Amino acid sequence: MFNNKFDSNKFKYGIYYAIAVAVIVFILNDYVTNLKSEHIKYSDFVSYINQNKIQEVQISKDRLVAIPKSNEGESNKVLYTERVDDPDLIKKLDTAKIKYGGVPQEDSPIRSFFINWVLPLIIFTFLGRVLFGRIDKKMGSGVMSFGKNTAKIYAENETGVTFADVAGQEEAKESLVEIVDFLHNPKRYTDIGAKLPKGALLVGPPGTGKTLLAKAVAGEAGVAFFSISGSAFVEMFVGMGASRVRDLFKQAQEKAPCIVFIDEIDAIGKSREGNISGNDEREQTLNQLLAEMDGFDSSKGVVILAATNRPEVLDKALLRPGRFDRRVIVDRPDLKGREEILKVHAKGVKISQEADLNAIAKGTPGAVGADLANIINEAALRAVKNSRKEVVQEDLEDAVEVIIAGKEKKDRILSDKEKRAVAFHEVGHALVAALLENTDPVHKITIVPRTMGALGYTMQLPSEEKYLITKEEMMEQICVMLGGRAAEEIEFNTMSTGAANDIERATQTARSMVSMYGMSERFDMMGLESIQNRYLDGRPVQNCSAETAAIIDEETLKIIKEAHEKSKKILKDNRYLLTKISERLLEKETLMGDEFIHMVKSNDESKGQNKEDESLDTGSHNG
Ligand code: ADP
Ligand code: MG
Ligand code: ZN
């Protein structure tokens, strides 16, 4: 197969070579003819006749060719000139006794056909080849080869990745181990008559390690790995995608046992229904893929893996039994998983003995494998910048903040007034969090601006991984989000734009309480919104009437107003604390959780008694 391709290539190049030679011969031929003849002016022609230097003249439609007398010596070149409208020409020739006549055979029809048609064709083909050949190389795909020679794109023999490189995805690995075993030993399965799933679909948010897992399966099984991205099927030429699919499966079957991995399959596997505009190319490609999956015999040892973060848009036909009937969920890692992922990536860098990866894992809820890999790398870069020989905890913590909030932007100068506003705003968040019962402890407060737009922020860290959130906790989360604005109102008796993001998040949380979690009395347990694209941005989609939507808004507003009042009350009751801590933050720019809690607590003790006694205890206990 591969050899054949190579030969056909050789053949192609042979043709181009021949064409090139033909062109050169032609040019040379013309040049030689030029050497043998010479252009002269008509007046010279006439004077040659008069001087009796010409032996014979051939008259054609538009030129006169004169053959000089050979005894004339010097040059024996044939002379030619344009035919000028000269009625006396014949008379002149007669008087000079020169033989004349038409051209015996003006131009052979074959020759003229060749010059007028074939030669230009050859030249243009040749030029086109040279030009497109360049573009070809740049784009890395064959524009002129029409999908014939794309093998290189997807063949990848050794991935070198094993399950050990994928951390924190134990369930996913477990379901894939079976596939590995099958590839190692297909006979064991076929002997008993068991059919393995032809394909498995890896589903999960971006960066959780789907691509990595597929490579690991190939690495573990020690088989060839054909990998192609879904978008690579949809090309500029219609029909190319389908031919690529055909090619891919043909090669895969020849190389069996092997794994065919189609990354981001939603690019071609999108549901065909409800798509009015239609995309013929994609549909053709999808159909071809379906046909190929049905056509090949999985007992040969070809396993198809595919990955997507939008499983809900996939065509149902792809998911039916016999195709991608097995789903492997690759979800965001939990605390333990995050720690393991950090460890895997920390192996490659020199890291201090004291570094506490568990603490980093705790500080990164919701982070995916790609984020964590990035954090380790950022930390290593920071260690180099500070000319350290190894990565220390501080590097890691800073890296987490860089990933979450962007780099520090030290050159952004805030006016003192603005700085004060930011400080009170942030302490407002932190204080509400510390004084409420069901909130995550405050980890850090800072008013150093960040490149991603934050002028300051308050970082809360859960003391343990949570999988469920209660109504009370959600309510208090909203209070904390609104605490920033509340503090500004109390201290400066004004409002600023700084709360825009808080407002957005608070509203979203409040709305989902009403419409998705059944936490409002008004709607009881009625579902009014559902999440689309669960693995991407997770945007909710309303499925209710416009009237109901209006009532949802009312209910949401009620929750927000309640939370706003509550946080204002908390801050008013602790006005002294708010001012004291804000002044301290202005001075230091960054307050760590311990110090903050200490200030909250010491105030509490100095006052002797406080009605928020219990909640204070919880706060300090967590911090
Ligand atoms: P996906 O295909 O799910 O979007 P990738 O597999 O491309 O994500 O992951 C990107 C990178 O993130 C990987 O190359 C790896 O360095 C890191 N990574 C992601 N998940 C994990 C994991 N579970 N264990 C170790 N590294 C991971
Ligand atoms: Mg991927
Ligand atoms: Zn805020």
Side-chain angles (χ1 to χ4, degrees):
M1 177 72 191
F2 280 106
N3 282 341
N4 265 343
K5 269 211 170 123
F6 187 61
D7 279 347
S8 84
N9 262 350
K10 234 181 184 174
F11 177 67
K12 243 192 250 164
Y13 284 118
I15 287 183
Y16 296 133
Y17 185 68
I19 290 170
V21 168
V23 169
I24 290 168
V25 164
F26 247 87
I27 292 168
L28 273 181
N29 188 26
D30 245 34
Y31 183 66
V32 169
T33 336
N34 252 345
L35 280 184
K36 283 198 288 186
S37 60
E38 190 183 331
H39 178 252
I40 52 171
K41 287 208 174 70
Y42 189 74
S43 54
D44 291 337
F45 174 76
V46 174
S47 67
Y48 282 154
I49 291 176
N50 294 339
Q51 288 163 31
N52 202 11
K53 281 184 178 169
I54 306 285
Q55 179 191 338
E56 184 185 330
V57 172
Q58 294 169 357
I59 303 169
S60 71
K61 241 189 283 166
D62 50 6
R63 60 156 67 170
L64 303 165
V65 178
I67 299 165
K69 284 188 173 155
S70 50
N71 55 357
E72 227 27 63
E74 339 102 44
S75 107
N76 275 338
K77 275 186 187 174
V78 174
L79 307 172
Y80 65 92
T81 184
E82 291 75 30
R83 185 170 167 184
V84 177
D85 189 16
D86 178 3
D88 293 338
L89 175 63
I90 303 295
K91 222 181 275 168
K92 279 177 196 151
L93 292 175
D94 277 339
T95 23
K97 293 213 172 69
I98 295 171
K99 281 192 263 176
Y100 59 89
V103 182
Q105 195 175 25
E106 180 141 328
D107 221 354
S108 94
I110 295 176
R111 188 186 140 97
S112 76
F113 173 77
F114 193 79
I115 288 177
N116 291 331
W117 295 100
V118 180
L119 191 61
L121 204 69
I122 289 173
I123 288 173
F124 279 114
T125 316
F126 185 73
L127 274 180
R129 197 55 220 171
V130 170
L131 287 178
F132 277 114
R134 288 238 175 100
I135 295 168
D136 255 25
K137 265 179 218 147
K138 263 190 219 150
M139 303 202 317
S141 70
V143 172
M144 299 292 272
S145 61
F146 293 105
K148 271 278 161 352
N149 202 15
T150 45
K152 280 165 247 105
I153 295 177
Y154 28 78
E156 183 181 319
N157 276 325
E158 289 297 316
T159 63
V161 180
T162 65
F163 279 153
D165 296 311
V166 190
Q169 298 291 356
E170 298 314 317
E171 301 76 18
K173 278 197 248 177
E174 222 163 78
S175 355
L176 293 170
V177 161
E178 202 178 37
I179 291 178
V180 173
D181 189 50
F182 168 74
L183 288 169
H184 268 311
N185 207 342
K187 204 166 169 303
R188 253 183 55 201
Y189 288 79
T190 48
D191 276 356
I192 207 168
K195 279 204 187 79
L196 229 89
K198 278 185 185 168
L201 187 63
L202 303 167
V203 175
T208 46
K210 298 181 295 296
T211 309
L212 194 66
L213 260 172
K215 285 185 181 166
V217 171
E220 289 284 332
V223 298
F225 183 68
F226 290 87
S227 149
I228 188 163
S229 167
S231 58
F233 283 117
V234 186
E235 282 267 351
M236 52 212 266
F237 288 108
V238 175
M240 187 98 140
S243 103
R244 282 223 168 134
V245 172
R246 235 178 349 255
D247 254 26
L248 174 64
F249 277 83
K250 207 163 147 200
Q251 284 186 31
Q253 266 165 308
E254 275 156 20
K255 279 219 163 182
C258 69
I259 288 175
V260 173
F261 177 52
I262 305 174
D263 211 350
E264 318 288 353
I265 195 174
D266 41 281
I268 44 169
K270 261 195 218 128
S271 179
R272 285 165 293 185
E273 51 193 66
N275 194 351
I276 307 154
S277 67
N279 182 337
D280 270 353
E281 169 63 351
R282 209 187 57 221
E283 197 168 321
Q284 265 185 36
T285 310
L286 176 57
N287 283 335
Q288 186 67 38
L289 180 65
L290 296 176
E292 292 288 346
M293 284 191 80
D294 286 343
F296 81 86
D297 180 4
S298 65
S299 64
K300 283 218 188 87
V302 179
V303 171
I304 307 169
L305 295 179
T308 182
N309 34 39
R310 304 172 63 196
E312 62 281 334
V313 306
L314 289 185
D315 200 285
K316 294 287 169 288
L318 264 179
L319 304 174
R320 78 146 169 74
R323 287 173 185 152
F324 291 108
D325 43 6
R326 184 167 287 198
R327 254 189 209 218
V328 179
I329 306 290
V330 189
D331 218 340
R332 292 176 191 279
D334 55 9
L335 176 61
K336 191 164 147 279
R338 289 199 300 275
E339 190 178 348
E340 276 163 18
I341 295 173
L342 284 170
K343 274 185 193 150
V344 164
H345 288 278
K347 262 185 217 146
V349 298
K350 288 209 182 84
I351 217 158
S352 147
Q353 289 287 318
E354 278 95 62
D356 184 2
L357 293 179
N358 180 268
I360 301 300
K362 266 191 184 158
T364 47
V368 295
D371 297 329
L372 296 167
N374 205 356
I375 284 172
I376 295 280
N377 192 48
E378 279 289 336
L381 292 177
R382 188 172 183 272
V384 173
K385 207 167 94 190
N386 295 328
S387 30
R388 268 194 285 275
K389 284 271 184 292
E390 54 179 20
V391 175
V392 298
Q393 188 71 4
E394 203 191 322
D395 296 327
L396 290 164
E397 276 168 8
D398 192 74
V400 171
E401 277 181 65
V402 168
I403 303 295
I404 293 175
K407 281 202 189 320
E408 285 187 356
K409 198 164 178 180
K410 294 220 168 89
D411 57 347
R412 171 168 290 168
I413 313 285
L414 293 183
S415 70
D416 283 350
K417 201 173 149 208
E418 278 175 333
K419 234 177 165 175
R420 257 187 101 72
V422 175
F424 273 86
H425 179 107
E426 294 309 330
V427 174
H429 285 306
L431 211 49
V432 173
L435 297 177
L436 284 172
E437 243 174 278
N438 302 302
T439 50
D440 295 330
V442 173
H443 177 72
K444 183 177 177 178
I445 318 167
T446 173
I447 52 168
V448 179
R450 293 271 166 173
T451 46
M452 272 149 86
L455 296 177
Y457 63 89
T458 304
M459 213 167 139
Q460 283 174 277
L461 280 191
S463 43
E464 58 201 2
E465 192 94 330
K466 279 201 198 109
Y467 299 97
L468 283 177
I469 309 177
T470 63
K471 183 182 173 186
E472 289 70 32
E473 282 166 343
M474 272 187 128
M475 208 47 215
E476 297 194 353
Q477 276 177 8
I478 299 175
C479 290
V480 173
M481 289 174 203
L482 300 181
R485 162 64 69 79
E488 285 180 66
E489 284 173 294
I490 289 168
E491 181 64 24
F492 309 108
N493 198 21
T494 178
M495 300 173 190
S496 78
T497 54
N501 184 254
D502 299 332
I503 290 171
E504 196 180 319
R505 280 170 38 227
T507 310
Q508 218 169 42
T509 311
R511 181 179 290 275
S512 62
M513 282 174 76
V514 177
S515 63
M516 272 193 297
Y517 302 125
M519 288 176 180
S520 72
E521 263 170 43
R522 182 84 189 242
F523 287 113
D524 205 82
M525 281 183 64
M526 185 175 178
L528 301 162
E529 276 179 2
S530 53
I531 292 274
Q532 245 185 14
N533 290 347
R534 194 164 88 77
Y535 296 111
L536 290 175
D537 52 357
R539 205 153 29 85
V541 178
Q542 268 183 357
N543 29 28
C544 58
S545 70
E547 290 79 24
T548 313
I551 305 174
I552 295 178
D553 291 341
E554 268 171 41
E555 289 291 302
T556 307
L557 182 60
K558 220 163 83 185
I559 291 175
I560 288 177
K561 273 193 168 155
E562 193 185 318
H564 189 183
E565 286 310 314
K566 194 167 173 184
S567 40
K568 272 210 284 202
K569 179 168 185 315
I570 291 171
L571 293 176
K572 262 187 201 145
D573 289 349
N574 294 277
R575 181 91 193 256
Y576 170 71
L577 257 184
L578 174 64
T579 317
K580 193 175 104 179
I581 300 176
S582 301
E583 297 292 352
R584 180 97 180 123
L585 181 61
L586 270 169
E587 199 179 300
K588 285 192 65 180
E589 295 209 322
T590 299
L591 278 182
M592 292 313 288
D594 300 341
E595 193 182 348
F596 168 72
I597 290 298
H598 183 75
M599 286 180 84
V600 175
K601 245 191 124 183
S602 67
N603 178 68
D604 177 33
E605 276 156 11
S606 73
K607 263 188 175 173
Q609 58 115 240
N610 189 310
K611 42 189 165 169
E612 306 275 354
D613 225 0
E614 267 169 53
S615 55
L616 280 183
D617 270 343
T618 329
S620 59
H621 165 79
N622 285 339

